[in-house]
Amino acid sequence: MELRHLRCFLAVAEELHFARAAERLHIEQSPLSRAIRELEEELGARLFARTTRSTRLTRAGELFLEHVPRVFSTLQQARDSVKAAANGFHGQLRIAVSDGITPSRLPTLLALCRQEEPDVEIRLFEVPLAQQVKGLLGDLYDAGFAQSSDVGDGLIVEQAWSEPLMVAVPARHPLLSYKRIPLEEVLRYPLVLCDPQVCEGHARQIDRVLRRVDVEPMVAERVASSDLMKALVSAGLALGLAGASHIATGRQAGIVARPLAGRSPMLTTYLLRMDQDEAPGVLARFIQRVHAIESPQDDTHSPAADRQEGPGA
């Protein structure tokens, strides 16, 4: 089995069309078909069920597809490690990022790492939560950030950072009569929420907050980024729910951030890593820096603020 066999398999598996796969690989269709036949003979199983009208993966092909991308990820990481060594780095940390983690913390963390350990290269991988979990268990990543603690066995999950959940409100909206907005009032208006397929952990935390009130939310749109959420809120199409730093980062005209009434719900970012007795030195020092990053000052929990919940307060 050679890498060319795997490249051919991956192209056909993703395109489910031999002609398009051949075009993507810049080869003729006959050598592509021959490579797939050789691979199937090597594995002793058919990977594709092919007719004159369609091409689909067999069960064996689906199972094989779960592993092949990791081969190329590992190979790329090996290349990156060599390149990092050639550029003077003496170590490397592979950090996965999911769920759109708190943007104000990450630059501070990376700057601190560069200041204290400039010879360690930090590579970031923005991936869905399920891919992060699989990558951590498969040693593709050293650690990761996500907004979910429900990641199954084999991983250590510890709280990294928390921030208050805020309501993003269009300027001149009726709810701005509240200094702190009751959740029941928020649910009277359409919401723009994060797509759970993109930000799974974040969506779960928001869903838990919304379930506190026995009212079905009106979801106007599900989006993949806080930037798009802010654009829709700024246009007056809906309200948004996000962490304070997401609303503050790149503050957009036409949006006012308001806390929820009562004690503000908190959005938590977790640090994930393999379950092992002791983290390696470079990773252990990275973890210490994660916990050294201070939370932004926030007065949303002050008793005075809690007394100012009514309209016009």
Side-chain angles (χ1 to χ4, degrees):
M1 189 183 303
E2 302 174 12
L3 281 176
R4 66 181 179 87
H5 291 119
L6 300 183
R7 289 193 183 95
C8 289
F9 167 78
L10 196 56
V12 178
E14 290 176 350
E15 298 290 344
L16 291 180
H17 194 282
F18 273 73
R20 286 198 300 267
E23 184 178 351
R24 170 172 150 181
L25 294 169
H26 306 293
I27 62 175
E28 296 295 326
Q29 192 168 331
S30 75
L32 173 61
S33 298
R34 186 165 57 250
I36 296 299
R37 282 198 305 272
E38 291 171 356
L39 183 59
E40 290 177 330
E41 289 171 4
E42 171 76 18
L43 294 171
R46 289 186 64 197
L47 300 174
F48 297 99
R50 187 179 180 187
T51 69
T52 55
R53 295 192 174 189
S54 68
T55 299
R56 63 176 179 81
L57 285 161
T58 63
R59 177 60 181 153
E62 291 173 351
L63 292 172
F64 196 54
L65 182 58
E66 291 180 11
H67 298 279
V68 170
R70 290 192 342 202
V71 174
F72 291 104
S73 295
T74 303
L75 181 60
Q76 184 59 49
Q77 289 186 9
R79 287 172 176 158
D80 292 338
S81 296
V82 171
K83 186 182 294 184
N87 290 334
F89 292 107
H90 296 146
Q92 186 183 75
L93 279 175
R94 305 159 299 170
I95 307 300
V97 178
S98 305
D99 296 335
I101 69 159
T102 308
S104 63
R105 307 299 214 300
L106 194 55
T108 306
L109 173 62
L110 295 176
L112 184 60
C113 291
R114 183 169 180 79
Q115 175 186 335
E116 295 186 354
E117 239 172 336
D119 59 342
V120 174
E121 182 190 38
I122 296 181
R123 301 197 62 236
L124 298 178
F125 302 84
E126 191 171 14
V127 295
L129 177 59
Q131 187 175 333
Q132 176 180 156
V133 170
K134 195 176 291 187
L136 287 168
L137 294 172
D139 195 33
L140 290 180
Y141 314 124
D142 300 299
F145 293 102
Q147 290 192 332
S148 177
S149 58
D150 183 16
V151 294
D153 298 330
L155 296 179
I156 293 175
V157 181
E158 51 189 289
Q159 183 172 319
W161 309 308
S162 289
E163 63 173 339
L165 177 67
M166 305 289 281
V167 186
V169 186
R172 298 179 296 279
H173 193 280
L175 286 185
L176 292 179
S177 61
Y178 291 91
K179 291 294 183 184
R180 302 176 67 90
I181 307 175
L183 182 57
E184 295 88 343
E185 292 297 315
V186 172
L187 292 175
R188 292 177 52 214
Y189 297 91
L191 299 176
V192 54
L193 301 178
C194 185
D195 185 342
Q197 292 188 338
V198 179
C199 301
E200 182 179 342
H202 176 85
R204 284 184 198 164
Q205 292 195 48
I206 297 294
D207 186 56
R208 282 197 291 269
V209 173
L210 296 179
R211 278 198 233 140
R212 295 179 181 181
V213 176
D214 189 20
V215 177
E216 188 68 25
M218 296 181 287
V219 181
E221 196 74 55
R222 292 195 180 272
V223 298
S225 72
S226 59
D227 287 340
L228 184 52
M229 178 272 289
K230 288 186 286 188
L232 294 174
V233 172
S234 179
L237 300 179
L239 305 177
L241 289 168
S245 65
H246 282 86
I247 299 176
T249 302
R251 191 177 294 279
Q252 189 152 352
I255 294 180
V256 180
R258 284 280 195 268
L260 287 164
R263 186 170 180 83
S264 293
M266 303 297 287
L267 284 178
T268 302
T269 296
Y270 298 94
L271 179 66
L272 282 55
R273 59 186 174 89
M274 276 289 289
D275 189 355
Q276 49 192 354
D277 293 335
E278 187 174 344
V282 173
L283 179 57
R285 292 189 291 275
F286 177 81
I287 294 170
Q288 289 174 353
R289 294 185 197 108
V290 169
H291 295 301
I293 302 297
E294 294 183 359
S295 301
Q297 292 301 313
D298 168 48
D299 62 1
T300 58
H301 292 91
S302 69
D306 283 339
R307 288 195 296 270
Q308 298 178 2
E309 294 179 3

